[in-house]
Amino acid sequence: MPKLSYLKALNRALGEEMERDPSVFVLGEDVNHAVTNVTAGLLDRFGPDRIVETPLSEQAVTNVATGAALWGRRPVVEFAIPFLLQLVLEQVVNQAHKFSVMSGGQARVPVTYLVASSGWRPGWGGQHSDQPHGLFVHSGVKTVMPTTPTDAYGLLLTAIRDDDPVVFIAPRVALDVREDVDYADLVPVPLGSARIHRTGHDVTVVAIGHHVHDALAVAEALADEVSVEVFDPRSLYPFDWAALAESLSRTGRLVVIDDANRSCGLAAEILATAAEEMPLTAPPKRITRPDGAVVGCNPDLDLALQPNRDQLATVIRQVMKR
Amino acid sequence: MDVLREPLYRTVRLIRRFEERAIELVRTGVIVGGIHPYIGQEAVAAGVCAALRDDDIVLSNHRNHGHALAKGSEPRRVMAELAGRITGIDNGRAGSLHISDYERGLYGATITVGHGAAIATGAAWAASRDGTDRVVASFIGDGAMNQGALLETMNLASLWRVPQLIIVENNLYATTQPVGASTAGSITGRAEAFGIPGRTVDGMDPEAVLEATTEAVQRARSGGGPSLLEFMTYRFDAHHTFEYRVRLRYRTQEEIDHWRERDPVVVQGSRIPDEAREHIDQEIEDVLADAVQFAQDSPKPDPADALEYLYATGLRPRPGVVS
Ligand SMILES: Cc1ncc(C[n+]2csc(CCOP(=O)(O)OP(=O)(O)O)c2C)c(N)n1
Ligand SMILES: [Mg+2]
């Protein structure tokens, strides 16, 4: 079976969807030369009216995508780095997201905002390493963060086909993941559907983004002492609460690991919801970056600020003691 | 142009009286939250939209009622929208600030000043790349000229030669800020810096607005790219009706009186026979009496539907409290 990389999966999904639906096009910086690899080969295939190189004008370009979507197109706006999503927070949350309701259902804004690499970049300073997914989840913008090539493929198709704005965040660490796949098995993945990568009966670890791979490694390492279920939401908003409730009805114990700041983060929401609505036999725990953390200033310090496998193993043991 | 004399009068008069009736409804509490009255600026909406085709597109801003009426939205459904009624043009979800009417090509009114013009660039890009000859007119105020996204999008519009009209309603103030104190250089000079032809035109005369816009529309339709039209105008009323309660002294009575001498309703009314004018006036009174009645009599939305339309896909988010 061929090896599929995460970026190749994105490139494949995008190319196939552009082939299938002429309303799909890409807006972004350096997309002609495919600096991120996401648009590799697509300019030759589709030409400059489908792979649209933009100046460094993210706020206007994000609104341009909204306007083209209102016309009937399905734009994919590519951002190479996560802080650009913060730069266009207004254009996504206050413009694109609100057109449907403010028009009383007349308008649709099917835009995909694709961040091709998000999270910690060692040595890239304090401004390149944020994980902005929580901002969009909080705002009610559909948000996905797949962590395997097959899910990246399937969720990109779904994001493009969805009639609402969707933020698609690719965790940088997950870009290194490769999978043996049969191309025939590549299918759309619905929004709001979690994936259980490993079943277990003692504790559910909800792992966001690339931490899925950490959780799988820790689950394997602890296999003799505790049976860990690894739960990957994939779609952060809408979230598959039913699947989480089902998992917790079997394990009764919850640990969440999320490489994002602590206050008001997605991990907090998962804990709160589980505590309010789901059967827990022990108090849940979360592992996150500290409150307000700035990551990227110094590679040695950065590691102290991000969740890691040792912390996960420790917390799993703590939760098991209760 | 002559054949449009009466329709232009009809539009400016309709907008004027619509706004006056809406202000009454603000005072009586039927319209909650107030409005940004368009009174004084009617010639701009009337002249611009008269130069557009039905299938052309408009992006509007906070001062949008005149744009909607001039583009052909039904007065009773706009009034009902202002009053938050289910019969409103946006099912009561737009209020005064966000009127859209997709049947009339009005893609919405966005209040982040200047940003509607960038949305317009996207629609115009798609319109031209899909091989149509439709054009997109974006209305902004003088205050929007200092918004980064507007300057970004002037660059994009020019670079991509999109069929867009950037209509600047220069009413000399952004809330209380005089344009001269906030805007360095000139508005048309900024357009020219991006290679966009810019023209400053009398915005109190509907026919002057129509003439200038027609030229820009022709350029856009024939692939000549965007234009910026700066219409010199003035709002006779408050920035927003909240101003009735807080007296702000940012302009003099002399200045207001001076501009009132060039009232666009009078300017255009003087160009048509008295009989025609009286007939139009009466017709508009009837239309607006019906609109007000319709708005007042229409039901308000059901609170159970408060999350409707939030997602185009019909996704229903979790409620705020779980019992
Ligand atoms: C980006 C932004 N800043 C501030 C505001 C608050 N605001 C609403 S209308 C307005 C004045 C706008 O002036 P102008 O663009 O000249 O339009 P006018 O009100 O004169 O029609 C301001 C400051 C806003 N809506 N958007
Ligand atoms: Mg102004």
Short mmCIF file of all heavy atoms in Angstrom, two decimals, chain A residues 25 49 55 57 59-60 63-64 67 70-71 73 90-91 95 99-104 106-107 140 142 164 237 241 269 273 277, chain B residues 57 89-91 93-94 100 102 107 110 112 115 118-119 122-123 125-127 129-130 152 156 309 311-313 317-318 322:
data_model
loop_
_atom_site.label_atom_id
_atom_site.label_comp_id
_atom_site.label_asym_id
_atom_site.label_seq_id
_atom_site.Cartn_x
_atom_site.Cartn_y
_atom_site.Cartn_z
N PHE A 25 -12.01 27.19 -5.29
CA PHE A 25 -10.74 27.80 -5.68
C PHE A 25 -9.96 28.16 -4.43
O PHE A 25 -10.50 28.15 -3.32
CB PHE A 25 -10.96 29.02 -6.59
CG PHE A 25 -11.51 30.23 -5.88
CD1 PHE A 25 -10.68 31.30 -5.55
CD2 PHE A 25 -12.84 30.31 -5.53
CE1 PHE A 25 -11.18 32.43 -4.90
CE2 PHE A 25 -13.35 31.43 -4.88
CZ PHE A 25 -12.52 32.49 -4.57
N ASP A 49 -6.78 31.40 -12.17
CA ASP A 49 -8.10 31.81 -11.68
C ASP A 49 -8.66 30.82 -10.67
O ASP A 49 -9.74 31.05 -10.09
CB ASP A 49 -9.09 31.97 -12.84
CG ASP A 49 -8.91 33.30 -13.55
OD1 ASP A 49 -8.16 34.15 -13.02
OD2 ASP A 49 -9.50 33.49 -14.63
N PRO A 55 -1.68 39.18 -2.45
CA PRO A 55 -0.71 39.96 -1.68
C PRO A 55 -0.88 39.70 -0.18
O PRO A 55 -1.83 39.02 0.22
CB PRO A 55 -1.06 41.41 -2.01
CG PRO A 55 -2.06 41.37 -3.12
CD PRO A 55 -2.69 40.01 -3.09
N SER A 57 -2.38 40.64 2.38
CA SER A 57 -3.54 41.47 2.76
C SER A 57 -4.61 40.57 3.34
O SER A 57 -5.71 40.46 2.80
CB SER A 57 -4.08 42.21 1.52
OG SER A 57 -3.10 43.02 0.95
N GLN A 59 -6.67 40.49 5.87
CA GLN A 59 -8.02 40.89 6.27
C GLN A 59 -8.91 41.09 5.05
O GLN A 59 -10.04 40.60 5.00
CB GLN A 59 -7.95 42.16 7.12
CG GLN A 59 -7.18 41.92 8.40
CD GLN A 59 -7.30 43.05 9.39
OE1 GLN A 59 -7.43 44.21 9.01
NE2 GLN A 59 -7.24 42.73 10.66
N ALA A 60 -8.42 41.80 4.06
CA ALA A 60 -9.22 41.98 2.86
C ALA A 60 -9.45 40.65 2.16
O ALA A 60 -10.56 40.35 1.72
CB ALA A 60 -8.54 42.97 1.91
N ASN A 63 -12.18 38.67 3.64
CA ASN A 63 -13.47 39.21 3.22
C ASN A 63 -13.75 38.93 1.74
O ASN A 63 -14.91 38.71 1.37
CB ASN A 63 -13.51 40.72 3.46
CG ASN A 63 -13.77 41.07 4.92
OD1 ASN A 63 -14.40 40.31 5.64
ND2 ASN A 63 -13.30 42.22 5.34
N VAL A 64 -12.72 38.95 0.94
CA VAL A 64 -12.89 38.59 -0.48
C VAL A 64 -13.48 37.19 -0.58
O VAL A 64 -14.39 36.92 -1.37
CB VAL A 64 -11.54 38.69 -1.23
CG1 VAL A 64 -11.56 37.91 -2.53
CG2 VAL A 64 -11.19 40.16 -1.49
N GLY A 67 -17.11 37.36 0.09
CA GLY A 67 -17.84 37.90 -1.05
C GLY A 67 -17.99 36.89 -2.17
O GLY A 67 -19.06 36.75 -2.78
N LEU A 70 -20.57 34.39 -1.13
CA LEU A 70 -21.93 34.90 -1.26
C LEU A 70 -22.39 34.82 -2.72
O LEU A 70 -23.56 34.60 -3.01
CB LEU A 70 -22.02 36.35 -0.77
CG LEU A 70 -21.79 36.55 0.73
CD1 LEU A 70 -21.72 38.03 1.08
CD2 LEU A 70 -22.87 35.85 1.55
N TRP A 71 -21.44 34.96 -3.62
CA TRP A 71 -21.74 34.85 -5.05
C TRP A 71 -22.06 33.40 -5.43
O TRP A 71 -22.78 33.14 -6.39
CB TRP A 71 -20.54 35.37 -5.85
CG TRP A 71 -20.64 35.11 -7.32
CD1 TRP A 71 -20.23 33.99 -8.00
CD2 TRP A 71 -21.22 35.98 -8.31
NE1 TRP A 71 -20.50 34.13 -9.34
CE2 TRP A 71 -21.11 35.33 -9.56
CE3 TRP A 71 -21.79 37.26 -8.26
CZ2 TRP A 71 -21.56 35.90 -10.75
CZ3 TRP A 71 -22.24 37.82 -9.44
CH2 TRP A 71 -22.14 37.15 -10.67
N ARG A 73 -19.35 30.78 -4.87
CA ARG A 73 -18.10 30.01 -4.94
C ARG A 73 -17.83 29.32 -3.60
O ARG A 73 -18.44 29.64 -2.58
CB ARG A 73 -16.93 30.93 -5.27
CG ARG A 73 -17.00 31.53 -6.66
CD ARG A 73 -16.91 30.46 -7.73
NE ARG A 73 -16.51 31.06 -9.00
CZ ARG A 73 -15.26 31.04 -9.47
NH1 ARG A 73 -14.29 30.46 -8.80
NH2 ARG A 73 -14.98 31.60 -10.63
N GLU A 90 -11.74 38.79 13.17
CA GLU A 90 -12.96 39.59 12.92
C GLU A 90 -13.62 39.16 11.62
O GLU A 90 -14.85 39.04 11.55
CB GLU A 90 -12.59 41.08 12.86
CG GLU A 90 -13.77 42.02 13.02
CD GLU A 90 -14.57 42.30 11.76
OE1 GLU A 90 -14.07 42.11 10.64
OE2 GLU A 90 -15.73 42.71 11.88
N GLN A 91 -12.82 38.96 10.60
CA GLN A 91 -13.39 38.65 9.29
C GLN A 91 -14.05 37.27 9.29
O GLN A 91 -15.00 37.03 8.54
CB GLN A 91 -12.31 38.73 8.20
CG GLN A 91 -11.85 40.15 7.90
CD GLN A 91 -11.01 40.76 8.99
OE1 GLN A 91 -10.22 40.10 9.66
NE2 GLN A 91 -11.18 42.05 9.21
N GLN A 95 -17.81 38.53 10.46
CA GLN A 95 -18.37 38.66 9.11
C GLN A 95 -18.89 37.30 8.64
O GLN A 95 -20.08 37.03 8.67
CB GLN A 95 -17.32 39.20 8.11
CG GLN A 95 -16.60 40.45 8.56
CD GLN A 95 -17.44 41.72 8.51
OE1 GLN A 95 -18.48 41.78 7.88
NE2 GLN A 95 -16.99 42.76 9.20
N PHE A 99 -23.21 35.98 8.53
CA PHE A 99 -24.05 36.33 7.37
C PHE A 99 -25.29 35.46 7.28
O PHE A 99 -26.35 35.92 6.89
CB PHE A 99 -23.24 36.28 6.07
CG PHE A 99 -22.69 37.62 5.69
CD1 PHE A 99 -21.67 38.20 6.42
CD2 PHE A 99 -23.22 38.35 4.63
CE1 PHE A 99 -21.17 39.46 6.10
CE2 PHE A 99 -22.73 39.61 4.30
CZ PHE A 99 -21.70 40.16 5.03
N SER A 100 -25.18 34.20 7.61
CA SER A 100 -26.35 33.33 7.52
C SER A 100 -27.46 33.83 8.43
O SER A 100 -28.58 34.08 7.99
CB SER A 100 -25.98 31.88 7.86
OG SER A 100 -27.14 31.09 7.89
N VAL A 101 -27.13 34.02 9.69
CA VAL A 101 -28.20 34.42 10.62
C VAL A 101 -28.67 35.84 10.35
O VAL A 101 -29.87 36.11 10.33
CB VAL A 101 -27.78 34.22 12.10
CG1 VAL A 101 -26.61 35.08 12.51
CG2 VAL A 101 -28.95 34.52 13.02
N MET A 102 -27.73 36.75 10.08
CA MET A 102 -28.15 38.16 9.91
C MET A 102 -28.98 38.37 8.65
O MET A 102 -29.68 39.37 8.54
CB MET A 102 -26.93 39.08 9.91
CG MET A 102 -26.22 39.10 11.26
SD MET A 102 -25.07 40.49 11.48
CE MET A 102 -24.14 40.46 9.97
N SER A 103 -28.88 37.44 7.71
CA SER A 103 -29.70 37.57 6.50
C SER A 103 -30.97 36.73 6.64
O SER A 103 -31.70 36.57 5.66
CB SER A 103 -28.90 37.10 5.28
OG SER A 103 -28.67 35.71 5.35
N GLY A 104 -31.20 36.21 7.82
CA GLY A 104 -32.39 35.39 8.02
C GLY A 104 -32.37 34.15 7.13
O GLY A 104 -33.42 33.70 6.66
N GLN A 106 -30.82 33.80 4.18
CA GLN A 106 -30.64 33.99 2.73
C GLN A 106 -29.22 33.67 2.28
O GLN A 106 -29.00 33.20 1.18
CB GLN A 106 -30.94 35.44 2.34
CG GLN A 106 -32.36 35.89 2.53
CD GLN A 106 -32.48 37.39 2.24
OE1 GLN A 106 -32.61 37.80 1.09
NE2 GLN A 106 -32.41 38.20 3.27
N ALA A 107 -28.25 33.98 3.13
CA ALA A 107 -26.85 33.89 2.72
C ALA A 107 -26.21 32.60 3.19
O ALA A 107 -26.56 32.06 4.24
CB ALA A 107 -26.07 35.08 3.28
N GLY A 140 -18.17 29.64 17.93
CA GLY A 140 -19.17 28.85 17.21
C GLY A 140 -18.86 28.67 15.74
O GLY A 140 -19.74 28.34 14.95
N LYS A 142 -17.31 26.46 12.91
CA LYS A 142 -16.95 25.05 12.75
C LYS A 142 -15.43 24.93 12.64
O LYS A 142 -14.81 25.68 11.88
CB LYS A 142 -17.65 24.47 11.52
CG LYS A 142 -19.17 24.42 11.68
CD LYS A 142 -19.85 23.97 10.41
CE LYS A 142 -21.36 23.90 10.65
NZ LYS A 142 -22.09 23.52 9.40
N ASP A 164 -21.25 26.17 5.60
CA ASP A 164 -20.85 27.20 6.56
C ASP A 164 -19.32 27.37 6.52
O ASP A 164 -18.61 26.51 6.03
CB ASP A 164 -21.27 26.79 7.98
CG ASP A 164 -22.78 26.84 8.17
OD1 ASP A 164 -23.37 27.87 7.83
OD2 ASP A 164 -23.35 25.84 8.65
N TYR A 237 -15.49 21.60 16.75
CA TYR A 237 -16.81 22.22 16.81
C TYR A 237 -17.47 22.00 15.46
O TYR A 237 -16.93 22.44 14.46
CB TYR A 237 -16.73 23.72 17.11
CG TYR A 237 -18.10 24.31 17.30
CD1 TYR A 237 -18.67 24.44 18.56
CD2 TYR A 237 -18.86 24.71 16.19
CE1 TYR A 237 -19.95 24.95 18.72
CE2 TYR A 237 -20.14 25.21 16.36
CZ TYR A 237 -20.67 25.33 17.61
OH TYR A 237 -21.93 25.82 17.77
N TRP A 241 -20.26 14.99 21.30
CA TRP A 241 -20.52 14.77 22.74
C TRP A 241 -21.13 13.41 22.99
O TRP A 241 -20.88 12.79 24.03
CB TRP A 241 -21.46 15.86 23.28
CG TRP A 241 -20.86 17.23 23.20
CD1 TRP A 241 -21.26 18.26 22.39
CD2 TRP A 241 -19.71 17.72 23.91
NE1 TRP A 241 -20.44 19.36 22.57
CE2 TRP A 241 -19.50 19.06 23.50
CE3 TRP A 241 -18.85 17.15 24.86
CZ2 TRP A 241 -18.45 19.84 24.00
CZ3 TRP A 241 -17.82 17.93 25.37
CH2 TRP A 241 -17.62 19.25 24.94
N GLU A 269 -13.76 23.16 28.46
CA GLU A 269 -15.13 22.89 28.03
C GLU A 269 -15.45 21.40 28.11
O GLU A 269 -16.55 21.00 28.52
CB GLU A 269 -15.34 23.42 26.61
CG GLU A 269 -16.74 23.22 26.07
CD GLU A 269 -17.81 23.80 26.99
OE1 GLU A 269 -17.57 24.88 27.56
OE2 GLU A 269 -18.86 23.15 27.14
N THR A 273 -18.33 19.93 30.55
CA THR A 273 -19.48 19.21 30.00
C THR A 273 -19.56 17.81 30.60
O THR A 273 -20.65 17.33 30.96
CB THR A 273 -19.37 19.13 28.47
OG1 THR A 273 -19.36 20.46 27.96
CG2 THR A 273 -20.55 18.37 27.87
N GLU A 277 -22.75 16.62 32.69
CA GLU A 277 -23.73 15.79 31.99
C GLU A 277 -23.38 14.30 31.90
O GLU A 277 -24.20 13.53 31.43
CB GLU A 277 -23.91 16.30 30.55
CG GLU A 277 -24.37 17.74 30.47
CD GLU A 277 -24.35 18.26 29.03
OE1 GLU A 277 -24.53 17.45 28.10
OE2 GLU A 277 -24.14 19.46 28.85
N ILE B 57 -24.94 43.99 -8.02
CA ILE B 57 -24.85 43.67 -6.59
C ILE B 57 -24.44 44.89 -5.79
O ILE B 57 -23.67 45.74 -6.27
CB ILE B 57 -23.87 42.49 -6.42
CG1 ILE B 57 -24.57 41.23 -6.94
CG2 ILE B 57 -23.43 42.30 -4.99
CD1 ILE B 57 -23.65 40.16 -7.33
N ILE B 89 -37.48 41.65 5.86
CA ILE B 89 -36.77 41.14 4.68
C ILE B 89 -35.75 40.08 5.07
O ILE B 89 -35.39 39.22 4.26
CB ILE B 89 -36.14 42.34 3.95
CG1 ILE B 89 -35.95 42.02 2.48
CG2 ILE B 89 -34.84 42.78 4.55
CD1 ILE B 89 -36.77 42.92 1.62
N ASP B 90 -35.27 40.12 6.30
CA ASP B 90 -34.31 39.12 6.79
C ASP B 90 -34.92 38.33 7.95
O ASP B 90 -34.21 37.92 8.88
CB ASP B 90 -33.02 39.82 7.21
CG ASP B 90 -32.40 40.59 6.06
OD1 ASP B 90 -31.91 39.94 5.12
OD2 ASP B 90 -32.44 41.84 6.07
N ASN B 91 -36.22 38.15 7.88
CA ASN B 91 -36.94 37.39 8.91
C ASN B 91 -36.71 37.93 10.32
O ASN B 91 -36.70 37.18 11.29
CB ASN B 91 -36.56 35.90 8.86
CG ASN B 91 -36.92 35.27 7.52
OD1 ASN B 91 -37.97 35.58 6.96
ND2 ASN B 91 -36.06 34.43 7.00
N ARG B 93 -33.89 39.20 11.53
CA ARG B 93 -32.57 38.91 12.10
C ARG B 93 -31.53 39.98 11.76
O ARG B 93 -30.40 39.90 12.21
CB ARG B 93 -32.04 37.55 11.60
CG ARG B 93 -32.88 36.30 11.89
CD ARG B 93 -33.50 36.28 13.23
NE ARG B 93 -33.93 34.94 13.62
CZ ARG B 93 -35.17 34.46 13.47
NH1 ARG B 93 -36.13 35.20 12.90
NH2 ARG B 93 -35.49 33.24 13.91
N ALA B 94 -31.93 40.96 10.95
CA ALA B 94 -30.97 41.99 10.54
C ALA B 94 -31.15 43.27 11.34
O ALA B 94 -30.18 43.97 11.62
CB ALA B 94 -31.11 42.28 9.05
N SER B 100 -30.11 42.84 4.28
CA SER B 100 -29.71 42.23 3.02
C SER B 100 -30.97 41.77 2.32
O SER B 100 -32.01 41.54 2.96
CB SER B 100 -28.75 41.05 3.24
OG SER B 100 -29.35 40.06 4.03
N TYR B 102 -31.35 39.32 -0.94
CA TYR B 102 -30.68 38.61 -2.03
C TYR B 102 -31.47 38.63 -3.32
O TYR B 102 -30.90 38.53 -4.40
CB TYR B 102 -30.27 37.20 -1.57
CG TYR B 102 -29.00 37.28 -0.75
CD1 TYR B 102 -29.00 37.85 0.52
CD2 TYR B 102 -27.78 36.88 -1.29
CE1 TYR B 102 -27.84 38.01 1.24
CE2 TYR B 102 -26.61 37.03 -0.58
CZ TYR B 102 -26.63 37.59 0.68
OH TYR B 102 -25.46 37.75 1.38
N TYR B 107 -26.27 42.14 -0.99
CA TYR B 107 -25.57 41.05 -0.33
C TYR B 107 -25.37 41.29 1.16
O TYR B 107 -24.80 40.45 1.85
CB TYR B 107 -24.20 40.82 -0.99
CG TYR B 107 -24.22 39.86 -2.17
CD1 TYR B 107 -25.40 39.55 -2.83
CD2 TYR B 107 -23.04 39.27 -2.62
CE1 TYR B 107 -25.40 38.68 -3.91
CE2 TYR B 107 -23.03 38.39 -3.69
CZ TYR B 107 -24.21 38.11 -4.34
OH TYR B 107 -24.19 37.24 -5.40
N THR B 110 -22.57 45.47 6.29
CA THR B 110 -21.67 45.07 7.37
C THR B 110 -21.14 46.33 8.03
O THR B 110 -20.82 47.31 7.36
CB THR B 110 -20.57 44.12 6.85
OG1 THR B 110 -19.82 43.68 7.96
CG2 THR B 110 -19.64 44.79 5.87
N THR B 112 -18.51 46.84 10.10
CA THR B 112 -17.08 47.08 10.28
C THR B 112 -16.68 48.01 9.15
O THR B 112 -16.55 47.57 8.00
CB THR B 112 -16.30 45.77 10.24
OG1 THR B 112 -16.97 44.82 11.07
CG2 THR B 112 -14.89 45.96 10.74
N HIS B 115 -15.09 47.32 5.48
CA HIS B 115 -14.89 45.91 5.18
C HIS B 115 -15.88 45.37 4.15
O HIS B 115 -15.60 44.39 3.47
CB HIS B 115 -14.89 45.08 6.46
CG HIS B 115 -13.67 45.30 7.29
ND1 HIS B 115 -12.86 44.28 7.74
CD2 HIS B 115 -13.08 46.44 7.72
CE1 HIS B 115 -11.84 44.78 8.43
NE2 HIS B 115 -11.97 46.09 8.43
N ALA B 118 -14.42 45.11 0.83
CA ALA B 118 -13.58 43.95 0.55
C ALA B 118 -14.44 42.73 0.21
O ALA B 118 -14.09 41.92 -0.66
CB ALA B 118 -12.68 43.64 1.75
N ILE B 119 -15.58 42.61 0.86
CA ILE B 119 -16.52 41.55 0.50
C ILE B 119 -16.99 41.78 -0.94
O ILE B 119 -17.07 40.84 -1.74
CB ILE B 119 -17.69 41.51 1.50
CG1 ILE B 119 -17.15 41.11 2.89
CG2 ILE B 119 -18.78 40.56 1.04
CD1 ILE B 119 -18.17 41.20 4.01
N GLY B 122 -14.62 40.49 -3.49
CA GLY B 122 -14.74 39.04 -3.70
C GLY B 122 -15.90 38.70 -4.63
O GLY B 122 -15.77 37.86 -5.53
N ALA B 123 -17.03 39.36 -4.41
CA ALA B 123 -18.18 39.11 -5.28
C ALA B 123 -17.86 39.56 -6.70
O ALA B 123 -18.19 38.88 -7.68
CB ALA B 123 -19.41 39.83 -4.74
N TRP B 125 -14.89 39.81 -8.06
CA TRP B 125 -13.91 38.88 -8.64
C TRP B 125 -14.64 37.67 -9.21
O TRP B 125 -14.41 37.27 -10.36
CB TRP B 125 -12.91 38.44 -7.55
CG TRP B 125 -11.89 37.47 -8.06
CD1 TRP B 125 -10.69 37.77 -8.65
CD2 TRP B 125 -12.00 36.04 -8.05
NE1 TRP B 125 -10.04 36.62 -9.00
CE2 TRP B 125 -10.81 35.54 -8.65
CE3 TRP B 125 -12.96 35.13 -7.61
CZ2 TRP B 125 -10.59 34.17 -8.82
CZ3 TRP B 125 -12.74 33.78 -7.77
CH2 TRP B 125 -11.56 33.30 -8.37
N ALA B 126 -15.55 37.09 -8.42
CA ALA B 126 -16.27 35.90 -8.88
C ALA B 126 -17.17 36.24 -10.07
O ALA B 126 -17.26 35.47 -11.03
CB ALA B 126 -17.09 35.31 -7.73
N ALA B 127 -17.80 37.42 -10.03
CA ALA B 127 -18.68 37.82 -11.13
C ALA B 127 -17.91 37.88 -12.44
O ALA B 127 -18.38 37.41 -13.48
CB ALA B 127 -19.32 39.16 -10.83
N ARG B 129 -14.85 36.47 -13.06
CA ARG B 129 -14.22 35.20 -13.42
C ARG B 129 -15.24 34.19 -13.90
O ARG B 129 -14.92 33.26 -14.62
CB ARG B 129 -13.44 34.62 -12.23
CG ARG B 129 -12.15 35.34 -11.80
CD ARG B 129 -11.52 36.23 -12.83
NE ARG B 129 -10.26 36.84 -12.42
CZ ARG B 129 -10.05 38.16 -12.31
NH1 ARG B 129 -11.01 39.03 -12.54
NH2 ARG B 129 -8.86 38.62 -11.96
N ASP B 130 -16.52 34.38 -13.53
CA ASP B 130 -17.56 33.50 -14.05
C ASP B 130 -18.09 33.99 -15.39
O ASP B 130 -19.06 33.44 -15.92
CB ASP B 130 -18.71 33.36 -13.04
CG ASP B 130 -18.37 32.38 -11.92
OD1 ASP B 130 -17.31 31.73 -12.00
OD2 ASP B 130 -19.16 32.26 -10.96
N GLU B 152 -6.28 47.74 1.63
CA GLU B 152 -5.87 46.44 1.07
C GLU B 152 -6.74 46.08 -0.13
O GLU B 152 -6.27 45.62 -1.16
CB GLU B 152 -6.02 45.34 2.12
CG GLU B 152 -5.03 45.40 3.26
CD GLU B 152 -5.24 44.29 4.29
OE1 GLU B 152 -6.09 43.40 4.09
OE2 GLU B 152 -4.53 44.31 5.31
N LEU B 156 -6.27 45.12 -4.17
CA LEU B 156 -6.73 43.87 -4.80
C LEU B 156 -7.64 44.16 -5.98
O LEU B 156 -7.52 43.56 -7.05
CB LEU B 156 -7.49 43.01 -3.78
CG LEU B 156 -6.71 42.52 -2.57
CD1 LEU B 156 -7.63 41.77 -1.61
CD2 LEU B 156 -5.56 41.61 -2.99
N TYR B 309 -31.28 29.80 11.67
CA TYR B 309 -30.45 30.42 10.62
C TYR B 309 -29.00 30.61 11.03
O TYR B 309 -28.21 31.14 10.25
CB TYR B 309 -31.00 31.80 10.20
CG TYR B 309 -32.47 31.82 9.88
CD1 TYR B 309 -33.34 32.68 10.54
CD2 TYR B 309 -33.00 30.97 8.91
CE1 TYR B 309 -34.69 32.71 10.24
CE2 TYR B 309 -34.35 30.99 8.61
CZ TYR B 309 -35.19 31.87 9.28
OH TYR B 309 -36.51 31.90 8.98
N TYR B 311 -26.64 28.56 11.35
CA TYR B 311 -25.80 27.83 10.39
C TYR B 311 -26.61 27.54 9.14
O TYR B 311 -27.78 27.14 9.22
CB TYR B 311 -25.32 26.51 11.01
CG TYR B 311 -24.43 26.75 12.21
CD1 TYR B 311 -24.96 26.77 13.50
CD2 TYR B 311 -23.08 27.03 12.05
CE1 TYR B 311 -24.16 27.05 14.60
CE2 TYR B 311 -22.27 27.31 13.14
CZ TYR B 311 -22.81 27.31 14.41
OH TYR B 311 -22.02 27.60 15.48
N ALA B 312 -25.98 27.73 7.99
CA ALA B 312 -26.67 27.48 6.72
C ALA B 312 -27.06 26.01 6.62
O ALA B 312 -28.03 25.66 5.95
CB ALA B 312 -25.77 27.88 5.54
N THR B 313 -26.29 25.16 7.28
CA THR B 313 -26.56 23.72 7.22
C THR B 313 -27.66 23.31 8.21
O THR B 313 -28.00 22.14 8.27
CB THR B 313 -25.30 22.93 7.59
OG1 THR B 313 -24.73 23.52 8.76
CG2 THR B 313 -24.28 22.98 6.47
N PRO B 317 -26.82 24.45 17.65
CA PRO B 317 -25.80 24.37 18.70
C PRO B 317 -26.41 23.95 20.04
O PRO B 317 -27.63 23.93 20.21
CB PRO B 317 -25.27 25.80 18.78
CG PRO B 317 -26.35 26.65 18.25
CD PRO B 317 -27.14 25.83 17.28
N ARG B 318 -25.55 23.61 20.99
CA ARG B 318 -26.03 23.21 22.32
C ARG B 318 -26.71 24.40 23.00
O ARG B 318 -26.27 25.53 22.83
CB ARG B 318 -24.85 22.75 23.18
CG ARG B 318 -24.20 21.49 22.67
CD ARG B 318 -23.20 20.97 23.68
NE ARG B 318 -22.10 21.91 23.88
CZ ARG B 318 -21.28 21.89 24.91
NH1 ARG B 318 -21.43 20.98 25.86
NH2 ARG B 318 -20.30 22.75 25.01
N VAL B 322 -28.53 23.27 30.53
CA VAL B 322 -29.00 21.90 30.38
C VAL B 322 -29.71 21.51 31.66
O VAL B 322 -29.16 21.67 32.75
CB VAL B 322 -27.81 20.95 30.13
CG1 VAL B 322 -28.28 19.51 30.00
CG2 VAL B 322 -27.05 21.37 28.88
#
